[in-house]
C-alpha cells in the first residue's frame, strides 16, 4: 500500500514539475491546522516527513498571521505555536492580523508565482485552491501525508495552454505573411530580369571572347572521359640492350675500310 502511494505521489509531482515549473527545494506553505495536526500526531520532524513523500528536499514556510492565530488560541495550541515559529516566514505585508484564508490567498495569489505547495487540514480551503491552477495540495490522514492529484480544472488549464502554445499568434501570422509577400516580389523581379537578359542575348550575337562564369549554386557534375587500360593489369615493357662493339672489333672494321678504299683506288 505504501509503495503504491509513493508511485502516485511521484506521478502527481511529475505533473507539477513538467507543466508548472516546480523545482527543488520545494516550498511548503503550512497553515495552523496542518501544524497542529503534526504536533497532535507526534510527527516531530515535519520537514523530513514531507521530504520523504516528495522524494526531494523541502523548505517549510508560514506567515505572521498564521503564527498570531495560533498564539490567540490559548495554551492548547502553545506547542503548535512554538513549532510554527521555527518555520521560515513567507512575505506577508499585512500590518494587522488577517484571516488565514485571506492571508494565504494574498501570498499564493492567482498564479502561484512562488511555486508554493499548500499544506492544510481545512477541507474548504483545499476546495477553494483546487480552482487555482498550479497549487499542489497536501494534507494529513492520521500519520500519513498525502499529496492530492491535480484537479479537473488544473488538467483543463494545462490542456488549453498547450493547445494555445502550439497555434500561431496573430503577430506570427502577420510576420509570416509579410515574409511570403517579400519572397514573392523578389522572385518576380528575378524572373523579369532573367527574361530581359535572355531577350538581349537573342537580339545581339554573343562575343566568344567573353568568358561566361560557371554556375556554382547548383550541383556540379563531372563529365566522363575515356579511360585508358588499368596500368596494374598491363605487362611491363622489356628493355632490350643493344650489343656493344669491342675495341678489337672496331680496329678490324677500320682496317677493312682502309683496304676497301685502296682497292677502289687501284681499280
Amino acid at each position: 500500500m505504501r509503495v503504491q502511494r509513493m508511485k502516485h505521489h511521484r506521478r502527481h509531482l511529475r505533473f507539477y514539475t513538467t507543466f508548472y515549473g516546480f523545482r527543488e527545494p520545494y516550498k511548503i506553505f503550512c497553515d495552523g491546522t496542518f501544524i497542529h495536526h503534526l504536533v497532535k500526531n507526534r510527527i516531530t520532524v515535519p520537514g523530513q516527513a514531507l521530504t520523504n513523500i516528495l522524494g526531494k528536499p523541502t523548505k517549510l514556510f508560514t506567515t505572521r498571521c498564521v503564527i498570531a492565530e495560533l498564539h490567540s488560541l490559548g495554551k492548547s495550541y502553545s506547542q503548535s505555536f512554538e513549532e510554527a515559529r521555527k518555520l521560515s516566514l513567507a512575505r506577508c505585508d499585512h500590518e494587522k492580523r488577517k484571516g488565514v484564508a485571506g492571508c494565504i490567498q494574498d501570498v499564493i495569489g492567482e498564479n502561484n508565482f512562488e511555486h508554493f505547495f499548500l499544506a492544510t487540514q481545512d477541507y474548504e480551503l483545499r476546495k477553494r485552491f483546487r480552482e487555482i491552477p498550479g497549487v499542489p495540495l497536501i494534507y494529513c490522514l492520521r500519520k500519513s501525508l498525502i499529496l492530492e492529484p491535480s484537479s479537473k480544472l488544473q488538467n483543463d488549464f494545462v490542456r488549453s495552454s498547450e493547445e494555445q502554445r502550439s497555434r500561431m499568434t496573430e503577430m506570427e501570422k502577420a510576420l509570416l505573411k509579410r515574409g511570403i509577400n517579400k519572397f514573392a516580389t523578389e522572385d518576380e523581379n528575378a524572373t523579369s530580369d532573367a527574361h530581359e537578359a535572355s531577350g538581349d542575348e537573342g537580339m545581339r550575337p554573343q562575343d566568344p571572347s567573353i568568358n561566361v562564369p560557371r554556375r556554382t549554386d547548383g550541383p556540379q557534375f563531372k563529365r566522363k572521359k575515356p579511360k585508358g587500360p588499368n596500368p596494374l593489369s598491363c605487362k611491363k615493357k622489356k628493355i632490350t640492350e643493344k650489343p656493344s662493339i669491342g675495341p678489337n672489333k672496331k680496329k678490324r672494321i677500320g682496317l677493312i675500310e682502309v683496304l676497301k678504299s685502296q682497292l677502289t683506288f687501284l681499280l
Side-chain angles (χ1 to χ4, degrees):
M1 185 67 180
R2 186 176 180 182
V3 175
Q4 192 71 19
R5 188 182 300 163
M6 292 299 293
K7 288 182 179 179
H8 291 320
H9 289 166
R10 284 196 295 269
R11 188 185 306 134
H12 305 331
L13 185 61
R14 195 180 305 119
F15 172 81
Y16 289 106
T17 55
T18 303
F19 295 109
Y20 291 102
F22 281 74
R23 296 291 180 267
E24 56 182 275
Y26 297 125
K27 300 178 181 180
I28 315 295
F29 189 96
C30 305
D31 72 340
T33 59
F34 185 77
I35 297 170
H36 183 68
H37 187 87
L38 294 177
V39 172
K40 187 177 179 180
N41 288 275
R42 298 179 182 178
I43 304 176
T44 55
V45 190
Q48 185 62 39
L50 289 166
T51 299
N52 291 338
I53 70 165
L54 297 180
K56 300 291 181 180
T58 57
K59 192 173 182 181
L60 275 60
F61 290 85
T62 190
T63 58
R64 291 179 296 178
C65 296
V66 174
I67 295 173
E69 185 187 43
L70 290 172
H71 182 67
S72 64
L73 293 174
K75 293 183 180 180
S76 57
Y77 286 82
S78 60
Q79 191 174 355
S80 302
F81 169 71
E82 294 297 332
E83 290 294 330
R85 292 179 63 185
K86 297 178 183 178
L87 305 182
S88 301
L89 287 177
R91 185 174 179 178
C92 176
D93 296 330
H94 305 136
E95 296 180 359
K96 295 182 180 180
R97 192 185 79 182
K98 193 175 181 178
V100 173
C103 179
I104 295 173
Q105 184 72 40
D106 292 342
V107 172
I108 293 179
E110 294 295 331
N111 298 311
N112 194 13
F113 289 115
E114 295 292 332
H115 296 106
F116 278 114
F117 288 72
L118 178 59
T120 179
Q121 294 297 108
D122 190 346
Y123 178 77
E124 294 297 328
L125 193 59
R126 293 204 307 271
K127 185 177 179 181
R128 182 189 301 181
F129 277 92
R130 287 192 194 108
E131 304 300 320
I132 298 176
V135 182
L137 300 172
I138 299 174
Y139 66 96
C140 289
L141 187 62
R142 295 181 183 178
K143 290 190 176 183
S144 300
L145 298 177
I146 296 174
L147 175 63
E148 277 193 8
S150 56
S151 63
K152 184 179 182 300
L153 186 139
Q154 292 177 345
N155 294 332
D156 294 340
F157 178 81
V158 169
R159 192 178 296 110
S160 62
S161 61
E162 288 295 322
E163 289 178 357
Q164 290 177 1
R165 195 179 302 171
S166 62
R167 296 174 183 172
M168 295 177 63
T169 61
E170 295 298 329
M171 184 180 294
E172 291 173 345
K173 289 180 181 178
L175 291 173
L176 181 61
K177 189 175 180 180
R178 189 184 303 170
I180 291 171
N181 295 333
K182 183 179 178 181
F183 287 129
T185 53
E186 289 179 357
D187 194 9
E188 289 176 0
N189 294 333
T191 53
S192 62
D193 293 342
H195 285 306
E196 290 177 2
S198 62
D200 294 341
E201 289 179 358
M203 292 175 63
R204 61 184 180 183
Q206 187 175 0
D207 189 359
S209 63
I210 299 174
N211 295 324
V212 179
R214 295 178 61 187
R215 290 186 61 187
T216 58
D217 54 349
Q220 301 295 325
F221 300 99
K222 293 183 179 180
R223 293 183 179 180
K224 293 184 178 180
K225 297 181 181 180
K227 297 181 180 179
N230 189 357
L232 298 177
S233 63
C234 298
K235 291 184 178 181
K236 292 183 179 180
K237 292 182 179 181
K238 293 182 179 180
I239 301 172
T240 56
E241 296 180 357
K242 294 181 179 181
S244 59
I245 301 172
N248 296 329
K249 196 171 183 179
K250 287 182 178 179
K251 288 181 180 180
R252 291 175 186 175
I253 293 169
L255 290 172
I256 292 168
E257 293 292 333
V258 171
L259 290 172
K260 283 182 179 181
S261 63
Q262 288 178 359
L263 286 173
T264 52
F265 179 75
L266 292 172
L267 292 174

